[in-house]
PDB file of all heavy atoms in Angstrom:
ATOM      1  N   ARG A  31      -1.582   8.492  -1.941  1.00 94.00           N
ATOM      2  CA  ARG A  31      -1.748   8.411  -3.376  1.00 94.00           C
ATOM      3  C   ARG A  31      -1.336   9.682  -4.102  1.00 94.00           C
ATOM      4  O   ARG A  31      -1.417  10.824  -3.556  1.00 94.00           O
ATOM      5  CB  ARG A  31      -3.208   7.995  -3.691  1.00 94.00           C
ATOM      6  CG  ARG A  31      -4.247   9.106  -3.293  1.00 94.00           C
ATOM      7  CD  ARG A  31      -5.630   8.756  -3.869  1.00 94.00           C
ATOM      8  NE  ARG A  31      -6.629   9.664  -3.324  1.00 94.00           N
ATOM      9  CZ  ARG A  31      -6.846  10.922  -3.736  1.00 94.00           C
ATOM     10  NH1 ARG A  31      -6.111  11.339  -4.781  1.00 94.00           N
ATOM     11  NH2 ARG A  31      -7.823  11.583  -3.187  1.00 94.00           N
ATOM     12  N   ASP A  32      -1.039   9.482  -5.367  1.00 90.00           N
ATOM     13  CA  ASP A  32      -0.704  10.645  -6.250  1.00 90.00           C
ATOM     14  C   ASP A  32      -1.989  11.368  -6.692  1.00 90.00           C
ATOM     15  O   ASP A  32      -3.070  10.794  -6.714  1.00 90.00           O
ATOM     16  CB  ASP A  32       0.105  10.039  -7.450  1.00 90.00           C
ATOM     17  CG  ASP A  32       0.609  11.240  -8.310  1.00 90.00           C
ATOM     18  OD1 ASP A  32       1.695  11.791  -7.979  1.00 90.00           O
ATOM     19  OD2 ASP A  32      -0.054  11.594  -9.329  1.00 90.00           O
ATOM     20  N   ASN A  33      -1.775  12.665  -7.029  1.00 81.00           N
ATOM     21  CA  ASN A  33      -2.943  13.344  -7.434  1.00 81.00           C
ATOM     22  C   ASN A  33      -3.555  12.891  -8.707  1.00 81.00           C
ATOM     23  O   ASN A  33      -4.807  13.100  -9.048  1.00 81.00           O
ATOM     24  CB  ASN A  33      -2.543  14.863  -7.671  1.00 81.00           C
ATOM     25  CG  ASN A  33      -2.373  15.618  -6.328  1.00 81.00           C
ATOM     26  OD1 ASN A  33      -2.894  15.191  -5.354  1.00 81.00           O
ATOM     27  ND2 ASN A  33      -1.533  16.658  -6.444  1.00 81.00           N
ATOM     28  N   ALA A  34      -2.798  12.104  -9.452  1.00 82.00           N
ATOM     29  CA  ALA A  34      -3.303  11.521 -10.651  1.00 82.00           C
ATOM     30  C   ALA A  34      -4.151  10.327 -10.441  1.00 82.00           C
ATOM     31  O   ALA A  34      -4.865   9.763 -11.313  1.00 82.00           O
ATOM     32  CB  ALA A  34      -2.148  10.999 -11.644  1.00 82.00           C
ATOM     33  N   LYS A  35      -4.157   9.836  -9.139  1.00 81.00           N
ATOM     34  CA  LYS A  35      -4.986   8.715  -8.683  1.00 81.00           C
ATOM     35  C   LYS A  35      -4.690   7.332  -9.334  1.00 81.00           C
ATOM     36  O   LYS A  35      -5.360   6.351  -9.197  1.00 81.00           O
ATOM     37  CB  LYS A  35      -6.479   8.959  -8.926  1.00 81.00           C
ATOM     38  CG  LYS A  35      -7.020  10.297  -8.290  1.00 81.00           C
ATOM     39  CD  LYS A  35      -8.398  10.504  -8.589  1.00 81.00           C
ATOM     40  CE  LYS A  35      -8.992  11.782  -7.947  1.00 81.00           C
ATOM     41  NZ  LYS A  35      -8.393  12.993  -8.578  1.00 81.00           N
ATOM     42  N   THR A  36      -3.446   7.217  -9.893  1.00 87.00           N
ATOM     43  CA  THR A  36      -3.012   5.949 -10.464  1.00 87.00           C
ATOM     44  C   THR A  36      -1.788   5.515  -9.822  1.00 87.00           C
ATOM     45  O   THR A  36      -1.161   4.458 -10.209  1.00 87.00           O
ATOM     46  CB  THR A  36      -2.801   6.107 -11.965  1.00 87.00           C
ATOM     47  OG1 THR A  36      -1.905   7.214 -12.252  1.00 87.00           O
ATOM     48  CG2 THR A  36      -4.177   6.253 -12.653  1.00 87.00           C
ATOM     49  N   VAL A  37      -1.213   6.157  -8.850  1.00 94.00           N
ATOM     50  CA  VAL A  37       0.035   5.796  -8.107  1.00 94.00           C
ATOM     51  C   VAL A  37      -0.174   5.877  -6.650  1.00 94.00           C
ATOM     52  O   VAL A  37      -0.791   6.858  -6.175  1.00 94.00           O
ATOM     53  CB  VAL A  37       1.174   6.727  -8.562  1.00 94.00           C
ATOM     54  CG1 VAL A  37       2.459   6.251  -7.813  1.00 94.00           C
ATOM     55  CG2 VAL A  37       1.381   6.737  -9.989  1.00 94.00           C
ATOM     56  N   ILE A  38       0.191   4.811  -5.985  1.00 95.00           N
ATOM     57  CA  ILE A  38       0.138   4.864  -4.443  1.00 95.00           C
ATOM     58  C   ILE A  38       1.564   4.709  -3.988  1.00 95.00           C
ATOM     59  O   ILE A  38       2.452   4.088  -4.661  1.00 95.00           O
ATOM     60  CB  ILE A  38      -0.787   3.837  -3.917  1.00 95.00           C
ATOM     61  CG1 ILE A  38      -0.380   2.349  -4.222  1.00 95.00           C
ATOM     62  CG2 ILE A  38      -2.236   4.071  -4.334  1.00 95.00           C
ATOM     63  CD1 ILE A  38      -1.100   1.305  -3.433  1.00 95.00           C
ATOM     64  N   TYR A  39       1.734   5.012  -2.718  1.00 97.00           N
ATOM     65  CA  TYR A  39       3.089   4.939  -2.117  1.00 97.00           C
ATOM     66  C   TYR A  39       2.833   4.366  -0.704  1.00 97.00           C
ATOM     67  O   TYR A  39       1.858   4.487  -0.152  1.00 97.00           O
ATOM     68  CB  TYR A  39       3.668   6.304  -1.893  1.00 97.00           C
ATOM     69  CG  TYR A  39       3.744   7.173  -3.163  1.00 97.00           C
ATOM     70  CD1 TYR A  39       2.787   7.975  -3.546  1.00 97.00           C
ATOM     71  CD2 TYR A  39       4.908   6.938  -3.941  1.00 97.00           C
ATOM     72  CE1 TYR A  39       2.858   8.643  -4.695  1.00 97.00           C
ATOM     73  CE2 TYR A  39       4.991   7.604  -5.243  1.00 97.00           C
ATOM     74  CZ  TYR A  39       3.922   8.573  -5.500  1.00 97.00           C
ATOM     75  OH  TYR A  39       4.134   9.245  -6.790  1.00 97.00           O
ATOM     76  N   LEU A  40       3.922   3.700  -0.193  1.00 98.00           N
ATOM     77  CA  LEU A  40       3.931   3.171   1.157  1.00 98.00           C
ATOM     78  C   LEU A  40       5.201   3.714   1.733  1.00 98.00           C
ATOM     79  O   LEU A  40       6.342   3.248   1.494  1.00 98.00           O
ATOM     80  CB  LEU A  40       3.842   1.674   1.179  1.00 98.00           C
ATOM     81  CG  LEU A  40       3.749   1.058   2.647  1.00 98.00           C
ATOM     82  CD1 LEU A  40       2.448   1.486   3.240  1.00 98.00           C
ATOM     83  CD2 LEU A  40       4.010  -0.414   2.576  1.00 98.00           C
ATOM     84  N   GLN A  41       5.126   4.742   2.584  1.00 98.00           N
ATOM     85  CA  GLN A  41       6.310   5.216   3.330  1.00 98.00           C
ATOM     86  C   GLN A  41       6.523   4.359   4.536  1.00 98.00           C
ATOM     87  O   GLN A  41       5.662   4.213   5.389  1.00 98.00           O
ATOM     88  CB  GLN A  41       6.131   6.659   3.776  1.00 98.00           C
ATOM     89  CG  GLN A  41       7.212   7.326   4.604  1.00 98.00           C
ATOM     90  CD  GLN A  41       8.442   7.457   3.706  1.00 98.00           C
ATOM     91  OE1 GLN A  41       8.454   7.885   2.543  1.00 98.00           O
ATOM     92  NE2 GLN A  41       9.636   7.020   4.282  1.00 98.00           N
ATOM     93  N   MET A  42       7.612   3.678   4.631  1.00 98.00           N
ATOM     94  CA  MET A  42       7.947   2.817   5.695  1.00 98.00           C
ATOM     95  C   MET A  42       9.072   3.314   6.597  1.00 98.00           C
ATOM     96  O   MET A  42      10.245   3.395   6.075  1.00 98.00           O
ATOM     97  CB  MET A  42       8.288   1.404   5.099  1.00 98.00           C
ATOM     98  CG  MET A  42       7.387   0.929   4.043  1.00 98.00           C
ATOM     99  SD  MET A  42       8.027  -0.422   2.948  1.00 98.00           S
ATOM    100  CE  MET A  42       8.279  -1.732   4.193  1.00 98.00           C
ATOM    101  N   ASN A  43       8.719   3.634   7.765  1.00 98.00           N
ATOM    102  CA  ASN A  43       9.722   4.215   8.699  1.00 98.00           C
ATOM    103  C   ASN A  43      10.046   3.223   9.874  1.00 98.00           C
ATOM    104  O   ASN A  43       9.244   2.345  10.198  1.00 98.00           O
ATOM    105  CB  ASN A  43       9.212   5.493   9.376  1.00 98.00           C
ATOM    106  CG  ASN A  43       9.093   6.545   8.184  1.00 98.00           C
ATOM    107  OD1 ASN A  43       9.770   6.637   7.251  1.00 98.00           O
ATOM    108  ND2 ASN A  43       8.103   7.475   8.508  1.00 98.00           N
ATOM    109  N   THR A  44      11.143   3.457  10.571  1.00 98.00           N
ATOM    110  CA  THR A  44      11.582   2.640  11.644  1.00 98.00           C
ATOM    111  C   THR A  44      11.379   1.132  11.326  1.00 98.00           C
ATOM    112  O   THR A  44      10.725   0.435  12.077  1.00 98.00           O
ATOM    113  CB  THR A  44      10.697   2.997  12.909  1.00 98.00           C
ATOM    114  OG1 THR A  44      10.532   4.336  12.982  1.00 98.00           O
ATOM    115  CG2 THR A  44      11.537   2.523  14.196  1.00 98.00           C
ATOM    116  N   LEU A  45      12.040   0.763  10.238  1.00 98.00           N
ATOM    117  CA  LEU A  45      11.846  -0.622   9.815  1.00 98.00           C
ATOM    118  C   LEU A  45      12.598  -1.631  10.741  1.00 98.00           C
ATOM    119  O   LEU A  45      13.656  -1.220  11.352  1.00 98.00           O
ATOM    120  CB  LEU A  45      12.485  -0.836   8.408  1.00 98.00           C
ATOM    121  CG  LEU A  45      11.654  -0.226   7.266  1.00 98.00           C
ATOM    122  CD1 LEU A  45      12.367  -0.032   6.092  1.00 98.00           C
ATOM    123  CD2 LEU A  45      10.428  -1.171   7.006  1.00 98.00           C
ATOM    124  N   THR A  46      12.074  -2.764  10.930  1.00 98.00           N
ATOM    125  CA  THR A  46      12.706  -3.799  11.726  1.00 98.00           C
ATOM    126  C   THR A  46      12.753  -5.049  10.927  1.00 98.00           C
ATOM    127  O   THR A  46      12.149  -5.214   9.865  1.00 98.00           O
ATOM    128  CB  THR A  46      11.802  -4.160  12.993  1.00 98.00           C
ATOM    129  OG1 THR A  46      10.668  -4.911  12.599  1.00 98.00           O
ATOM    130  CG2 THR A  46      11.407  -2.806  13.646  1.00 98.00           C
ATOM    131  N   PRO A  47      13.589  -6.045  11.375  1.00 98.00           N
ATOM    132  CA  PRO A  47      13.651  -7.362  10.620  1.00 98.00           C
ATOM    133  C   PRO A  47      12.305  -8.020  10.498  1.00 98.00           C
ATOM    134  O   PRO A  47      12.154  -8.794   9.473  1.00 98.00           O
ATOM    135  CB  PRO A  47      14.590  -8.225  11.484  1.00 98.00           C
ATOM    136  CG  PRO A  47      15.471  -7.134  12.113  1.00 98.00           C
ATOM    137  CD  PRO A  47      14.583  -6.058  12.402  1.00 98.00           C
ATOM    138  N   GLU A  48      11.419  -7.660  11.336  1.00 97.00           N
ATOM    139  CA  GLU A  48      10.051  -8.296  11.152  1.00 97.00           C
ATOM    140  C   GLU A  48       9.236  -7.800   9.966  1.00 97.00           C
ATOM    141  O   GLU A  48       8.236  -8.415   9.558  1.00 97.00           O
ATOM    142  CB  GLU A  48       9.248  -8.025  12.389  1.00 97.00           C
ATOM    143  CG  GLU A  48       9.719  -8.698  13.761  1.00 97.00           C
ATOM    144  CD  GLU A  48       9.812 -10.293  13.657  1.00 97.00           C
ATOM    145  OE1 GLU A  48       8.836 -10.812  13.063  1.00 97.00           O
ATOM    146  OE2 GLU A  48      10.754 -10.862  14.161  1.00 97.00           O
ATOM    147  N   ASP A  49       9.773  -6.740   9.375  1.00 98.00           N
ATOM    148  CA  ASP A  49       9.231  -6.165   8.165  1.00 98.00           C
ATOM    149  C   ASP A  49       9.716  -6.790   6.906  1.00 98.00           C
ATOM    150  O   ASP A  49       9.225  -6.516   5.800  1.00 98.00           O
ATOM    151  CB  ASP A  49       9.334  -4.683   8.120  1.00 98.00           C
ATOM    152  CG  ASP A  49       8.653  -3.938   9.290  1.00 98.00           C
ATOM    153  OD1 ASP A  49       7.469  -4.226   9.566  1.00 98.00           O
ATOM    154  OD2 ASP A  49       9.375  -2.993   9.921  1.00 98.00           O
ATOM    155  N   THR A  50      10.707  -7.586   6.988  1.00 98.00           N
ATOM    156  CA  THR A  50      11.284  -8.289   5.843  1.00 98.00           C
ATOM    157  C   THR A  50      10.242  -9.232   5.135  1.00 98.00           C
ATOM    158  O   THR A  50       9.656 -10.062   5.834  1.00 98.00           O
ATOM    159  CB  THR A  50      12.543  -9.162   6.261  1.00 98.00           C
ATOM    160  OG1 THR A  50      13.526  -8.305   6.799  1.00 98.00           O
ATOM    161  CG2 THR A  50      12.989  -9.984   5.087  1.00 98.00           C
ATOM    162  N   ALA A  51       9.990  -8.951   3.922  1.00 98.00           N
ATOM    163  CA  ALA A  51       8.982  -9.673   3.137  1.00 98.00           C
ATOM    164  C   ALA A  51       9.019  -9.189   1.721  1.00 98.00           C
ATOM    165  O   ALA A  51       9.629  -8.221   1.321  1.00 98.00           O
ATOM    166  CB  ALA A  51       7.572  -9.464   3.713  1.00 98.00           C
ATOM    167  N   THR A  52       8.216  -9.960   0.915  1.00 98.00           N
ATOM    168  CA  THR A  52       7.935  -9.437  -0.469  1.00 98.00           C
ATOM    169  C   THR A  52       6.608  -8.631  -0.319  1.00 98.00           C
ATOM    170  O   THR A  52       5.595  -9.174   0.193  1.00 98.00           O
ATOM    171  CB  THR A  52       7.755 -10.654  -1.396  1.00 98.00           C
ATOM    172  OG1 THR A  52       8.939 -11.463  -1.461  1.00 98.00           O
ATOM    173  CG2 THR A  52       7.453 -10.073  -2.808  1.00 98.00           C
ATOM    174  N   TYR A  53       6.671  -7.428  -0.830  1.00 98.00           N
ATOM    175  CA  TYR A  53       5.593  -6.477  -0.726  1.00 98.00           C
ATOM    176  C   TYR A  53       4.852  -6.438  -2.048  1.00 98.00           C
ATOM    177  O   TYR A  53       5.516  -6.246  -3.097  1.00 98.00           O
ATOM    178  CB  TYR A  53       5.974  -5.179  -0.218  1.00 98.00           C
ATOM    179  CG  TYR A  53       6.319  -4.964   1.196  1.00 98.00           C
ATOM    180  CD1 TYR A  53       7.419  -5.641   1.717  1.00 98.00           C
ATOM    181  CD2 TYR A  53       5.449  -4.329   2.018  1.00 98.00           C
ATOM    182  CE1 TYR A  53       7.770  -5.565   3.084  1.00 98.00           C
ATOM    183  CE2 TYR A  53       5.737  -4.312   3.391  1.00 98.00           C
ATOM    184  CZ  TYR A  53       6.847  -4.946   3.946  1.00 98.00           C
ATOM    185  OH  TYR A  53       7.121  -4.829   5.223  1.00 98.00           O
ATOM    186  N   TYR A  54       3.532  -6.640  -2.056  1.00 98.00           N
ATOM    187  CA  TYR A  54       2.685  -6.636  -3.191  1.00 98.00           C
ATOM    188  C   TYR A  54       1.725  -5.545  -3.174  1.00 98.00           C
ATOM    189  O   TYR A  54       1.063  -5.269  -2.275  1.00 98.00           O
ATOM    190  CB  TYR A  54       1.898  -7.988  -3.262  1.00 98.00           C
ATOM    191  CG  TYR A  54       2.736  -9.190  -3.471  1.00 98.00           C
ATOM    192  CD1 TYR A  54       3.238  -9.867  -2.332  1.00 98.00           C
ATOM    193  CD2 TYR A  54       3.093  -9.712  -4.762  1.00 98.00           C
ATOM    194  CE1 TYR A  54       3.999 -11.020  -2.494  1.00 98.00           C
ATOM    195  CE2 TYR A  54       3.855 -10.864  -4.836  1.00 98.00           C
ATOM    196  CZ  TYR A  54       4.351 -11.540  -3.739  1.00 98.00           C
ATOM    197  OH  TYR A  54       5.077 -12.656  -3.848  1.00 98.00           O
ATOM    198  N   CYS A  55       1.693  -4.844  -4.360  1.00 97.00           N
ATOM    199  CA  CYS A  55       0.617  -3.900  -4.647  1.00 97.00           C
ATOM    200  C   CYS A  55      -0.610  -4.572  -5.009  1.00 97.00           C
ATOM    201  O   CYS A  55      -0.582  -5.557  -5.817  1.00 97.00           O
ATOM    202  CB  CYS A  55       1.043  -2.876  -5.614  1.00 97.00           C
ATOM    203  SG  CYS A  55      -0.111  -1.610  -6.000  1.00 97.00           S
ATOM    204  N   ALA A  56      -1.792  -4.092  -4.602  1.00 97.00           N
ATOM    205  CA  ALA A  56      -3.047  -4.652  -5.075  1.00 97.00           C
ATOM    206  C   ALA A  56      -4.148  -3.551  -5.324  1.00 97.00           C
ATOM    207  O   ALA A  56      -4.044  -2.478  -4.857  1.00 97.00           O
ATOM    208  CB  ALA A  56      -3.704  -5.513  -3.957  1.00 97.00           C
ATOM    209  N   ALA A  57      -5.036  -3.832  -6.238  1.00 96.00           N
ATOM    210  CA  ALA A  57      -6.108  -3.000  -6.601  1.00 96.00           C
ATOM    211  C   ALA A  57      -7.470  -3.618  -6.633  1.00 96.00           C
ATOM    212  O   ALA A  57      -7.545  -4.847  -6.850  1.00 96.00           O
ATOM    213  CB  ALA A  57      -5.823  -2.361  -8.029  1.00 96.00           C
ATOM    214  N   SER A  58      -8.475  -2.943  -6.143  1.00 95.00           N
ATOM    215  CA  SER A  58      -9.831  -3.517  -5.951  1.00 95.00           C
ATOM    216  C   SER A  58     -10.824  -2.706  -6.763  1.00 95.00           C
ATOM    217  O   SER A  58     -10.789  -1.441  -6.750  1.00 95.00           O
ATOM    218  CB  SER A  58     -10.155  -3.647  -4.580  1.00 95.00           C
ATOM    219  OG  SER A  58     -11.404  -3.979  -4.407  1.00 95.00           O
ATOM    220  N   ARG A  59     -11.786  -3.297  -7.310  1.00 94.00           N
ATOM    221  CA  ARG A  59     -13.026  -2.736  -7.777  1.00 94.00           C
ATOM    222  C   ARG A  59     -14.074  -2.354  -6.816  1.00 94.00           C
ATOM    223  O   ARG A  59     -14.954  -1.594  -7.040  1.00 94.00           O
ATOM    224  CB  ARG A  59     -13.575  -3.585  -9.006  1.00 94.00           C
ATOM    225  CG  ARG A  59     -12.748  -3.754 -10.223  1.00 94.00           C
ATOM    226  CD  ARG A  59     -13.345  -4.757 -11.095  1.00 94.00           C
ATOM    227  NE  ARG A  59     -13.391  -6.172 -10.522  1.00 94.00           N
ATOM    228  CZ  ARG A  59     -13.963  -7.228 -11.094  1.00 94.00           C
ATOM    229  NH1 ARG A  59     -14.490  -6.975 -12.226  1.00 94.00           N
ATOM    230  NH2 ARG A  59     -13.948  -8.331 -10.448  1.00 94.00           N
ATOM    231  N   TYR A  60     -13.913  -2.888  -5.603  1.00 90.00           N
ATOM    232  CA  TYR A  60     -14.873  -2.697  -4.550  1.00 90.00           C
ATOM    233  C   TYR A  60     -14.862  -1.249  -4.112  1.00 90.00           C
ATOM    234  O   TYR A  60     -13.809  -0.619  -3.975  1.00 90.00           O
ATOM    235  CB  TYR A  60     -14.513  -3.573  -3.392  1.00 90.00           C
ATOM    236  CG  TYR A  60     -15.468  -3.494  -2.184  1.00 90.00           C
ATOM    237  CD1 TYR A  60     -16.762  -3.830  -2.307  1.00 90.00           C
ATOM    238  CD2 TYR A  60     -14.916  -3.056  -0.923  1.00 90.00           C
ATOM    239  CE1 TYR A  60     -17.581  -3.694  -1.193  1.00 90.00           C
ATOM    240  CE2 TYR A  60     -15.747  -2.991   0.123  1.00 90.00           C
ATOM    241  CZ  TYR A  60     -17.100  -3.224   0.022  1.00 90.00           C
ATOM    242  OH  TYR A  60     -17.936  -3.254   1.123  1.00 90.00           O
ATOM    243  N   SER A  61     -16.047  -0.685  -3.905  1.00 86.00           N
ATOM    244  CA  SER A  61     -16.197   0.762  -3.609  1.00 86.00           C
ATOM    245  C   SER A  61     -16.729   1.025  -2.171  1.00 86.00           C
ATOM    246  O   SER A  61     -16.969   2.162  -1.828  1.00 86.00           O
ATOM    247  CB  SER A  61     -17.119   1.515  -4.601  1.00 86.00           C
ATOM    248  OG  SER A  61     -18.456   0.852  -4.573  1.00 86.00           O
ATOM    249  N   GLY A  62     -16.836  -0.067  -1.392  1.00 88.00           N
ATOM    250  CA  GLY A  62     -17.319   0.092  -0.002  1.00 88.00           C
ATOM    251  C   GLY A  62     -16.211   0.238   0.943  1.00 88.00           C
ATOM    252  O   GLY A  62     -15.156   0.863   0.725  1.00 88.00           O
ATOM    253  N   THR A  63     -16.449  -0.242   2.151  1.00 91.00           N
ATOM    254  CA  THR A  63     -15.399  -0.124   3.191  1.00 91.00           C
ATOM    255  C   THR A  63     -14.067  -0.779   2.852  1.00 91.00           C
ATOM    256  O   THR A  63     -14.032  -1.784   2.227  1.00 91.00           O
ATOM    257  CB  THR A  63     -15.845  -0.748   4.539  1.00 91.00           C
ATOM    258  OG1 THR A  63     -17.119  -0.224   4.832  1.00 91.00           O
ATOM    259  CG2 THR A  63     -14.917  -0.661   5.587  1.00 91.00           C
ATOM    260  N   LEU A  64     -13.014  -0.032   3.113  1.00 93.00           N
ATOM    261  CA  LEU A  64     -11.634  -0.639   2.724  1.00 93.00           C
ATOM    262  C   LEU A  64     -11.505  -1.995   3.389  1.00 93.00           C
ATOM    263  O   LEU A  64     -11.745  -2.196   4.643  1.00 93.00           O
ATOM    264  CB  LEU A  64     -10.494   0.371   3.300  1.00 93.00           C
ATOM    265  CG  LEU A  64     -10.413   1.538   2.495  1.00 93.00           C
ATOM    266  CD1 LEU A  64      -9.403   2.553   3.243  1.00 93.00           C
ATOM    267  CD2 LEU A  64      -9.854   1.238   1.111  1.00 93.00           C
ATOM    268  N   SER A  65     -11.033  -2.895   2.651  1.00 92.00           N
ATOM    269  CA  SER A  65     -10.851  -4.257   3.056  1.00 92.00           C
ATOM    270  C   SER A  65      -9.435  -4.833   3.363  1.00 92.00           C
ATOM    271  O   SER A  65      -8.490  -4.293   2.647  1.00 92.00           O
ATOM    272  CB  SER A  65     -11.467  -5.219   2.033  1.00 92.00           C
ATOM    273  OG  SER A  65     -11.298  -6.611   2.418  1.00 92.00           O
ATOM    274  N   SER A  66      -9.248  -5.668   4.251  1.00 94.00           N
ATOM    275  CA  SER A  66      -7.965  -6.189   4.591  1.00 94.00           C
ATOM    276  C   SER A  66      -7.793  -7.641   4.106  1.00 94.00           C
ATOM    277  O   SER A  66      -6.798  -8.310   4.308  1.00 94.00           O
ATOM    278  CB  SER A  66      -7.659  -6.242   6.132  1.00 94.00           C
ATOM    279  OG  SER A  66      -8.655  -6.938   6.792  1.00 94.00           O
TER     280      SER A  66
END
């Protein structure tokens, strides 16, 4: 995340064809354990 706390990044290395997809950013109001 950025220091401003309003931008996140996903550094994707060693990409394979299995990574092909539409990638969506999401935000949550939940403050507990990170959820999948």
Side-chain angles (χ1 to χ4, degrees):
R31 63 171 172 82
D32 187 80
N33 288 335
K35 303 180 179 66
T36 55
V37 182
I38 63 167
Y39 306 93
L40 186 68
Q41 180 65 45
M42 309 164 65
N43 296 329
T44 319
L45 286 163
T46 76
E48 297 298 321
D49 297 313
T50 295
T52 301
Y53 284 71
Y54 296 89
C55 180
S58 175
R59 295 173 293 175
Y60 181 61
S61 61
T63 303
L64 286 171
S65 176
S66 63

